[in-house]
């Protein structure tokens, strides 16, 4: 426990130093007050978020399982490319059969694109026939910021030990065209396949493409 | 009987058509702009008639609504660079898009690289020697883009352009030649009067720029645009300082960064003092990225 507290304190100190450093650097019109704590090969930042159906999900609750985080905005054309082509649902289904937890996270702030609640959200989720474990709401963007989620989609993979092992794009075809899903190399599938087979994940960091997360 | 009348009409029309064609032949390069979403797109040519075997320039001309932009080849934190799929007459070849100097588009906490307002994206077209003078050729382009403001919207347009083929001495299309000229004046160039070097530390990318002829360059501002996405934190401020040789630009690395490239390629937009005036130079460079 003491050790854990020590790590937390260190992390907090680091975050503080980083935040001060970042804000002292930013010029007036581009102030960056984002504290990214996620790092490949390091423990993934824990979080506790409520799902669209009001259930609480915490990352620590899934320790011992592979977890995929998928940043989502159901009005973003890059996200719709992967849902309208059924690419995302197929991935979710394939890996949920292999006991992978798949959390779609929406960090759209209230009033911004992709932020839905209540019946509208229920209808939207039904419309995409998602196969994810849960659709989580990160309205204040804290979780998004802690992972450095930039785009929708932006994908993260956490191994059963709670370590972040992949961050980046869903695939290597930055486009909004449905037909580009075929023939693309899917980085998430490649990383999960390797990880589940206890092999080395060759590509652990790529540049995500998409809409900006609407913090 | 009826048929005959029609034929007569046809002949008259033909004569009229030839007269009209002669009168308005200078206008054959005109194509209408297409409005799609927040973008007005048009295919334009620098010259009004083409010559067999002589490369010429066409461009995708885009005009974005206020507060909307399209992206550079490296879009930065979000968005996507536009693409053009060409459909050309046999033997014609299209080059790559020549990108204008981008701007930093700030959508805190993100920064995109791209263009607002009106821009042209020129592409060199090389016709074969075998194309016949006196004929007309048609160039078709399917342009695709994602236009972004607070949100991103995909768009596209099918555009075309008809050009006459003449034996020799093509003339500029006075409607557009100036836009191409302006593009060339602004385009980033390799300039051997500057020395550029780069290195990567654990936390930052460091670019050094010096002038070969003097140790006394006075820079007003220096902005780096990387061709490679994922090396620097796009939104980080680019810190300029002076050293004994010239200037140093320090930019925070992307915290979730990808494997760095072997070489650093990009553009430096340099504004320096020349007496009391400020001169703008757009330096294109491709140097080894030193790592230690």
């Amino acid at each position: 426990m003491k050790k854990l507290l020590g790590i937390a304190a260190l992390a907090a100190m680091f975050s503080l130093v980083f935040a001060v450093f970042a804000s002292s650097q930013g010029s007036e019109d581009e102030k960056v007050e984002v504290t990214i704590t996620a790092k490949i090969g390091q423990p993934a930042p824990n979080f506790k978020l409520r799902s669209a159906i009001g259930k609480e999900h915490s990352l620590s609750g899934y320790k011992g399982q592979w977890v995929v985080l998928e940043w989502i905005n159901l009005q973003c054309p890059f996200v719709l490319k992967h849902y309208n082509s059924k690419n995302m649902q197929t991935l979710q289904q394939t890996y949920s059969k292999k006991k992978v937890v798949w959390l779609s996270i929406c960090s759209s702030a209230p009033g911004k694109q992709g932020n839905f609640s209540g019946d509208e959200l229920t209808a939207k989720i039904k419309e995409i026939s998602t196969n994810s474990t849960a659709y989580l709401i990160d309205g204040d963007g804290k979780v998004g910021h802690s992972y450095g989620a930039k785009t929708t989609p932006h994908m993260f993979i956490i191994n059963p030990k709670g370590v972040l092992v992949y961050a980046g794009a869903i695939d290597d075809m930055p486009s909004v065209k449905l037909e580009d899903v075929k023939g693309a190399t899917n980085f998430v599938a490649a990383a999960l396949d390797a990880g589940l087979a206890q092999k080395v994940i060759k590509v652990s960091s790529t540049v995500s493409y998409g809409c900006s997360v609407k913090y | 009987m009826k048929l005959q009348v029609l034929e007569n009409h046809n002949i008259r029309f033909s004569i009229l058509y030839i007269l009209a064609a002669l009168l308005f032949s200078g206008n054959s390069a005109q194509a209408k702009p297409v409005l799609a979403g927040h973008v007005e797109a048009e295919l334009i040519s620098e010259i009004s008639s083409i010559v067999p075997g002589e490369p010429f320039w066409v461009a995708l001309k885009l005009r974005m609504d206020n507060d909307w932009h399209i992206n550079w080849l490296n879009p930065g934190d979000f968005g996507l660079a536009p693409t053009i799929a060409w459909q050309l007459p046999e033997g014609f070849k299209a080059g790559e898009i020549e990108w204008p100097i981008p701007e930093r588009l700030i959508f805190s906490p993100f920064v995109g690289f791209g263009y607002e307002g009106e821009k042209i994206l020129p592409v060199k077209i090389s016709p074969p020697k075998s194309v016949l003078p006196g004929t007309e050729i048609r160039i078709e382009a399917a342009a695709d883009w994602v236009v972004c403001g607070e949100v991103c919207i995909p768009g596209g347009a099918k555009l075309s352009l008809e050009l006459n083929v003449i034996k020799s001495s093509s003339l500029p299309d006075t409607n557009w030649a100036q836009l191409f000229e302006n593009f060339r004046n602004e385009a980033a160039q390799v300039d051997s009067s500057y020395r550029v070097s780069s290195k990567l530390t654990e936390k930052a990318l460091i670019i050094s720029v010096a002038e070969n002829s003097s140790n006394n360059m006075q820079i007003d501002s220096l902005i780096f645009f990387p061709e490679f996405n994922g090396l620097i934190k796009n939104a980080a401020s680019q810190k300029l300082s002076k050293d004994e040789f010239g200037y140093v630009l320090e930019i925070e690395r992307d915290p979730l960064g990808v494997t760095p490239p072997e070489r650093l390629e990009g553009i430096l937009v340099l504004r320096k003092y020349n007496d009391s005036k400020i001169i703008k130079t757009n330096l294109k460079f491709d140097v080894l990225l030193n790592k230690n």
Side-chain angles (χ1 to χ4, degrees), chain A residues 150-170:
Chain A
K150 270 187 193 174
T151 59
T152 51
H154 198 165
M155 312 297 295
F156 296 82
I157 302 174
I158 298 148
N159 74 10
K161 287 179 185 157
V163 172
L164 184 66
V165 292
Y166 177 80
I170 180 165

Side-chain angles (χ1 to χ4, degrees), chain A residues 137-156:
Chain A
I137 298 159
D138 178 38
D140 61 9
K142 274 187 187 153
V143 177
H145 283 310
S146 71
Y147 277 83
K150 270 187 193 174
T151 59
T152 51
H154 198 165
M155 312 297 295
F156 296 82

